[in-house]
Amino acid sequence: MKPTTVDDVLDLMDESFASAALGTAMELGLFWLLETKPLDAQGVAHALGIPPRRCYYWLQLLCRTGLIEEDSERYQPSSVARRAILEVYSRESWTLLAEEARERLPGLCGLPLHIRASEAASDTPERAFPTYLDKMAKEEDRARRFTRMLYEIHQPLADELTGLLDLGGVNRLMDLGGGSGVVSLALARRYPGLCVTVVDIDNVCAAGREIAIENSLDDRVIYHPADFLRDELPSGYDVVLECDVNVYSEALFHKVWHSLNPGGRFVIIDHFAPAEGAAPPSRMHWAFEKSLTDPDAVFPTAAGVRDQLTSAGFRILSESPVPSDPGPCRRFMDGLIAIEAIADRIA
Ligand SMILES: C[S@@+](CC[C@H](N)C(=O)[O-])C[C@H]1O[C@@H](n2cnc3c(N)ncnc32)[C@H](O)[C@@H]1O
């Protein structure tokens, strides 16, 4: 919301109520409850175990967002909620997205108090929040839910990349930080001779393996548990793909270089900062959040990644925007860039 009046400014300061009311509706399953049957406030309060008066105010807050509407004292999802929530992702995915948004709040609550802090959050316990990777490494169920959520959300990306990447003649692909294997599974379907190794942390691999079995592709898409920053990577690959992982360093690229067969290709697909010290518009929140944990965190630029690749022995072949037909959601697809490099063996 872009305020234009003093009332708008005051409203904007209170937007956290709308945001929290919406996240609660997601986590408690309100849209799915009302989709089954419109209910009055009493009915919602009873079904969700909320004190009736509070429930009524909550429903009013939600009506103001336009996501539910009241008709003869009964509430139901609005047409916007049907189009932008119910028909887009599963309840499980929305629940996790809302949970992640809620978990980001503590870092923002004390913002005026710690925005000046120059030390890394890991040095100050009250600001040391676990990363999504920490949470998944610790909790099997969290990793499973995250992996399934991304499997759903990244289907349009997988479709797009299946059309974009030419893997003719490629036998072995490594999908670094491949998560569910959503892209790998789509590529394995398109290229029947292709065998893929998805490298990810243990709990994510377990969740991905289940998905590969459900797709009857577990013979050609296998999961290799590793922390790719700390552990050795397997080798003998014709192509390595790193898609939407946003972890780049010369040291990692050296490892990737050694994983590739001579002349093998490395393809990176991600959002990159438009300039040094900036962030892509769709990743501004994320960049800001990272800067709260680490004041020196920088969002990588494509030029920076190209330099790291070159220093690690790669020759850049191309850099191009990923054409996107984002489907119902632009956030995950808009502005993606593909960088392709080759592991020359000249040194
Ligand atoms: C945003 S997800 C993208 C997953 C997949 N590439 C896709 O496009 O759906 C990033 C993945 O990288 C993995 N990852 C991040 N850092 C990692 C590390 N150091 N070692 C192994 N996996 C890592 C995460 O576990 C997660 O599954």
Side-chain angles (χ1 to χ4, degrees):
M1 159 187 192
K2 283 193 177 149
T4 54
T5 66
V6 63
D7 287 302
D8 292 347
V9 172
L10 290 166
D11 284 348
L12 184 55
M13 285 201 285
D14 282 337
E15 280 293 289
S16 48
F17 282 86
S19 168
L22 171 60
T24 305
M26 298 283 191
E27 288 199 54
L28 268 53
L30 179 72
F31 296 109
W32 295 269
L33 176 71
L34 297 179
E35 185 190 29
T36 326
K37 182 171 158 221
L39 289 173
D40 61 14
Q42 197 70 33
V44 174
H46 179 72
L48 299 181
I50 302 173
R53 173 59 53 195
R54 185 184 298 153
C55 186
Y56 173 76
Y57 290 136
W58 174 51
L59 293 168
Q60 292 306 304
L61 275 173
L62 285 166
C63 282
R64 284 175 55 179
T65 67
L67 290 171
I68 62 168
E69 55 198 18
E70 188 185 350
D71 183 19
S72 314
E73 295 192 0
R74 286 179 183 273
Y75 296 89
Q76 59 178 2
S78 67
S79 55
V80 176
R82 287 178 199 280
R83 215 174 45 243
I85 298 174
L86 293 166
E87 289 166 16
V88 182
Y89 302 134
S90 64
R91 176 175 171 178
E92 290 74 17
S93 289
W94 280 120
T95 304
L96 183 61
L97 289 167
E99 209 172 310
E100 287 186 328
R102 170 166 58 82
E103 288 168 355
R104 284 194 286 271
L105 289 177
L108 297 175
C109 281
L111 190 56
L113 307 179
H114 60 241
I115 195 164
R116 292 191 183 90
S118 53
E119 71 279 14
S122 48
D123 301 335
T124 51
E126 67 281 10
R127 292 196 299 118
F129 302 111
T131 64
Y132 85 110
L133 206 60
D134 297 334
K135 286 176 202 153
M136 293 203 295
K138 221 170 121 203
E139 283 175 51
E140 221 174 285
D141 185 56
R142 177 68 176 234
R144 189 170 181 276
R145 292 168 62 218
F146 177 87
T147 303
R148 289 208 168 250
M149 182 266 287
L150 263 198
Y151 178 67
E152 181 177 16
I153 282 179
H154 274 179
Q155 287 298 335
L157 173 63
D159 290 347
E160 203 66 60
L161 295 186
T162 310
L164 183 78
L165 300 177
D166 180 3
L167 298 186
V170 171
N171 295 315
R172 295 190 75 214
L173 169 78
M174 184 203 295
D175 188 355
L176 192 65
S180 63
V182 58
V183 177
S184 294
L185 292 163
L187 289 168
R189 245 175 251 121
R190 157 116 198 260
Y191 294 97
L194 184 68
C195 289
V196 189
T197 307
V198 174
V199 175
D200 211 297
I201 60 169
D202 197 4
N203 283 343
V204 169
C205 282
R209 209 170 283 125
E210 281 179 16
I211 296 174
I213 292 170
E214 286 162 20
N215 283 274
S216 305
L217 280 168
D218 50 310
D219 53 337
R220 286 195 295 123
V221 179
I222 59 160
Y223 293 77
H224 177 95
D227 175 336
F228 59 60
L229 292 179
R230 281 207 322 247
D231 302 331
E232 292 287 307
L233 291 177
S235 59
Y237 294 91
D238 306 308
V239 173
V240 174
L241 171 70
E242 187 179 3
C243 173
D244 189 36
V245 178
N246 214 273
V247 179
Y248 305 117
S249 70
E250 195 181 316
L252 176 61
F253 293 166
H254 272 292
K255 285 194 195 182
V256 172
W257 194 92
H258 286 289
S259 291
L260 282 164
N261 292 326
R265 287 179 289 150
F266 184 21
V267 181
I268 295 176
I269 312 276
D270 218 329
H271 296 89
F272 293 103
E276 192 83 34
S282 66
R283 293 293 185 273
M284 188 57 76
H285 295 78
W286 194 77
F288 181 61
E289 188 191 8
K290 249 190 143 185
S291 80
L292 292 174
T293 334
D294 174 6
D296 299 322
V298 283
F299 203 101
T301 59
V305 169
R306 282 198 318 266
D307 287 349
Q308 289 169 336
L309 284 166
T310 309
S311 303
F314 285 95
R315 179 164 52 87
I316 307 297
L317 291 177
S318 64
E319 177 186 322
S320 52
V322 174
S324 92
D325 171 11
C329 179
R330 309 199 72 84
R331 179 188 277 222
F332 303 109
M333 293 285 293
D334 265 5
L336 280 172
I337 289 177
I339 298 176
E340 186 166 356
I342 186 165
D344 281 334
R345 293 290 200 266
I346 38 176

